[in-house]
Amino acid sequence: MRGNKFCFDLRYLLVVAALAFIYIQMRLFATQSEYVDRLAAAIEAENHCTSQTRLLIDKISQQQGRVVALEEQMKHQDQECRQLRALVQDLESKGIKKLIGDVQMPVAAVVVMACSRTDYLERTIKSILKYQTSVASKYPLFISQDGSNPDVRKLALSYGQLTYMQHLDYEPVHTERPGELVAYYKIARHYKWALDQLFHKHNFSRVIILEDDMEIAADFFDYFEAGATLLDRDKSIMAISSWNDNGQRQFVQDPDALYRSDFFPGLGWMLSKSTWSELSPKWPKAYWDDWLRLKENHRGRQFIRPEVCRTYNFGEHGSSLGQFFKQYLEPIKLNDVQVDWKSMDLSYLLEDNYVKHFGDLVKKAKPIHGADAVLKAFNIDGDVRIQYRDQLDFEDIARQFGIFEEWKDGVPRAAYKGIVVFRFQTSRRVFLVSPDSLRQLGVEDT
């Protein structure tokens, strides 16, 4: 009886223990599931937090980049504002009205393009002021500096007779070809900025462009005043230049002689506001002078140039690294005769008149052929003409005489309808004539 009761109690205890064990296991499983769910939720929340943190970091980085860019922009604008304030103060102290006169309209603004050559610039300013002071109301003088060289700025501001402008360019320069000089790109930018300022801001009708390594002739301003009349009358004239590429002493004689040319001479030149309005929107990134020599840009228009130069370029050291200086620039003759341009009839230079005028000169010249062109020209009295076959033949003949051999876009330097004219030894003129030149001039080849 007791044995049976003991067995029953043991079974009962085992059942209770089993039930308790099952209950505990169920609670543990439920607790583990709850913890797993909480852990998954925590991991998900952590991932979301990490993602949001990264987004916040990215936004902060972007904002920091914008802040840096804005700070840099503000720095540049602050510098420009200081320069503008200085320019305004300079203009107010001198007064544009005083520079150009209260009544008389100026013939042209004169701008000297400068950068960092203080000694050259001083020599140029002194040369200009020597002849400009008496005609300052007709030719207000500006110095346009590219960059922030303090010595150039100080020098320019020391002259009360001129107005100082400063071009500050912080845009990086990307050259189009390896090995190119950055200077040519910066020069082109400076020219565009300065001419935009003078034509569009100051509203001048004409501008004469000089560089900071030039001296001018005594009749420089009278010459350009006469040229301004031609520029206004004849729209086939793109610019007036004071320069002759073949203006070396041995090749010139007549200070009164002027010519039309299909080749842009540069080095002291005047253009009109209407022409600049056409050129400014498409101004090149670099090599602006060679760009003007392209037929697509001058579009059949020509340039007036003198036989004897009205500017002298003394800049052996500069962006061109002294190219051609010893051979072509140093021997240039600067005009030393006071020509009375006001009394001269220059109507022969108008397009409708010039073809006949120049054609008559070429027609009267005696043709010479064969080798030893220099010797044959020397032994003939009066003008001569020599026909070249092509560019290589021209270069060979030019080399014999010592004139410029270079061509741009199919046009020799200083040429008009393929003809290059220069003096040789005496007043004798030599005409180097292309195979098609006589036809263009309406001259029969006799």
Side-chain angles (χ1 to χ4, degrees):
M1 190 76 181
R2 284 183 178 178
N4 291 334
K5 186 178 182 180
F6 176 77
C7 289
F8 175 77
D9 292 339
L10 182 61
R11 285 195 297 271
Y12 176 77
L13 289 173
L14 286 172
V15 169
V16 171
L19 290 171
F21 177 78
I22 292 170
Y23 175 77
I24 292 169
Q25 289 297 317
M26 290 176 65
R27 290 298 303 270
L28 285 173
F29 178 79
T31 303
Q32 286 177 345
S33 297
E34 183 180 351
Y35 278 128
V36 167
D37 291 338
R38 288 181 181 178
L39 182 61
I43 291 173
E44 184 179 355
E46 182 183 6
N47 289 338
H48 179 71
C49 183
T50 301
S51 175
Q52 292 298 315
T53 303
R54 286 175 179 170
L55 287 173
L56 183 60
I57 291 172
D58 290 340
K59 288 181 179 179
I60 291 172
S61 298
Q62 291 175 1
Q63 293 299 326
Q64 285 177 335
R66 290 175 184 171
V67 168
V68 170
L70 285 171
E71 286 176 346
E72 191 67 21
Q73 185 178 354
M74 287 177 63
K75 179 181 175 183
H76 292 166
Q77 288 178 343
D78 184 58
Q79 286 180 307
E80 290 177 349
C81 286
R82 285 201 301 270
Q83 301 302 333
L84 285 170
R85 281 195 296 269
L87 175 59
V88 169
Q89 290 170 0
D90 181 47
L91 289 174
E92 287 175 347
S93 64
K94 297 169 185 175
I96 285 291
K97 288 184 179 180
K98 175 183 154 187
L99 287 172
I100 65 175
D102 293 328
V103 178
Q104 185 179 36
M105 289 296 293
V107 175
V110 180
V111 60
V112 179
M113 309 299 286
C115 182
S116 59
R117 301 185 294 185
T118 310
D119 52 341
Y120 278 12
L121 178 60
E122 184 172 19
R123 180 174 168 181
T124 297
I125 292 174
K126 287 180 178 178
S127 173
I128 294 171
L129 291 180
K130 184 177 179 181
Y131 304 110
Q132 184 261 359
T133 303
S134 62
V135 291
S137 61
K138 292 183 178 181
Y139 298 96
L141 177 59
F142 292 77
I143 302 297
S144 182
Q145 181 189 359
D146 185 31
S148 56
N149 183 288
D151 294 330
V152 169
R153 173 182 166 81
K154 182 179 179 181
L155 174 68
L157 290 175
S158 70
Y159 286 92
Q161 306 96 312
L162 58 83
T163 300
Y164 171 76
M165 305 192 304
Q166 187 173 34
H167 175 233
L168 296 173
D169 182 12
Y170 299 104
E171 284 292 322
V173 174
H174 303 290
T175 60
E176 295 183 349
R177 291 175 291 276
E180 287 184 299
L181 288 176
V182 169
Y184 289 117
Y185 287 79
K186 296 185 80 66
I187 289 170
R189 289 181 183 179
H190 182 203
Y191 267 74
K192 181 177 180 354
W193 177 85
L195 291 173
D196 279 342
Q197 289 285 306
L198 292 168
F199 279 122
H200 301 317
K201 181 178 179 180
H202 294 299
N203 203 31
F204 287 107
S205 58
R206 304 176 205 89
V207 174
I208 298 170
I209 300 98
L210 293 170
E211 296 170 19
D212 63 354
D213 54 1
M214 291 182 177
E215 292 179 328
I216 66 172
D219 65 343
F220 176 89
F221 292 108
D222 289 342
Y223 167 76
F224 274 108
E225 186 164 0
T229 302
L230 290 172
L231 201 60
D232 292 344
R233 288 181 64 186
D234 189 346
K235 298 308 177 184
S236 70
I237 298 173
M238 191 170 192
I240 309 293
S241 176
S242 59
W243 184 260
N244 174 12
D245 283 308
N246 294 317
Q248 296 78 20
R249 293 182 176 276
Q250 65 271 31
F251 301 129
V252 299
Q253 188 174 77
D254 185 0
D256 295 355
L258 304 180
Y259 299 89
R260 291 178 76 110
S261 174
D262 297 307
F263 192 99
F264 171 63
L267 295 177
W269 54 290
M270 177 173 68
L271 81 165
S272 66
K273 184 176 183 178
S274 60
T275 301
W276 178 247
S277 295
E278 169 198 334
L279 298 176
S280 178
K282 57 181 181 178
W283 194 249
K285 294 180 180 179
Y287 311 106
W288 65 267
D289 48 352
D290 283 342
W291 179 83
L292 278 176
R293 291 166 184 146
L294 297 178
K295 293 173 184 176
E296 65 188 70
N297 295 318
H298 62 73
R299 297 191 302 162
R301 289 168 292 186
Q302 287 143 358
F303 309 89
I304 301 298
R305 59 117 180 141
E307 179 173 314
V308 183
C309 291
R310 265 57 188 186
T311 48
Y312 179 78
N313 188 306
F314 57 82
E316 183 174 4
H317 307 290
S319 297
S320 62
L321 305 179
Q323 184 184 27
F324 304 131
F325 182 82
K326 288 293 182 183
Q327 183 176 359
Y328 296 113
L329 300 182
E330 192 173 48
I332 288 288
K333 177 178 173 57
L334 179 65
N335 180 55
D336 54 6
V337 177
Q338 187 66 51
V339 176
D340 184 8
W341 291 106
K342 292 179 181 178
S343 66
M344 292 187 65
D345 180 8
L346 300 181
S347 60
Y348 71 92
L349 289 163
L350 298 174
E351 183 179 31
D352 293 339
N353 302 332
Y354 192 74
V355 171
K356 183 178 186 310
H357 165 81
F358 193 70
D360 288 344
L361 295 178
V362 175
K363 185 177 181 179
K364 293 174 184 176
K366 184 173 183 179
I368 58 177
H369 307 278
D372 300 321
V374 175
L375 180 61
K376 290 177 180 177
F378 182 77
N379 289 326
I380 294 176
D381 292 329
D383 297 345
V384 299
R385 72 174 188 255
I386 304 167
Q387 182 169 310
Y388 58 90
R389 296 184 300 275
D390 51 28
Q391 182 173 345
L392 287 176
D393 192 33
F394 173 89
E395 291 171 355
D396 180 60
I397 298 170
R399 195 177 303 117
Q400 293 179 48
F401 282 101
I403 64 167
F404 256 108
E405 305 165 27
E406 184 185 17
W407 289 39
K408 293 288 184 184
D409 201 16
V411 180
R413 279 189 180 265
Y416 172 73
K417 297 191 182 301
I419 300 174
V420 175
V421 56
F422 56 94
R423 306 278 177 175
F424 182 59
Q425 303 292 341
T426 62
S427 60
R428 175 195 304 109
R429 275 178 291 218
V430 176
F431 298 88
L432 302 187
V433 181
S434 79
D436 194 46
S437 295
L438 297 182
R439 182 195 63 79
Q440 292 185 58
L441 292 174
V443 174
E444 292 185 10
D445 188 356
T446 56

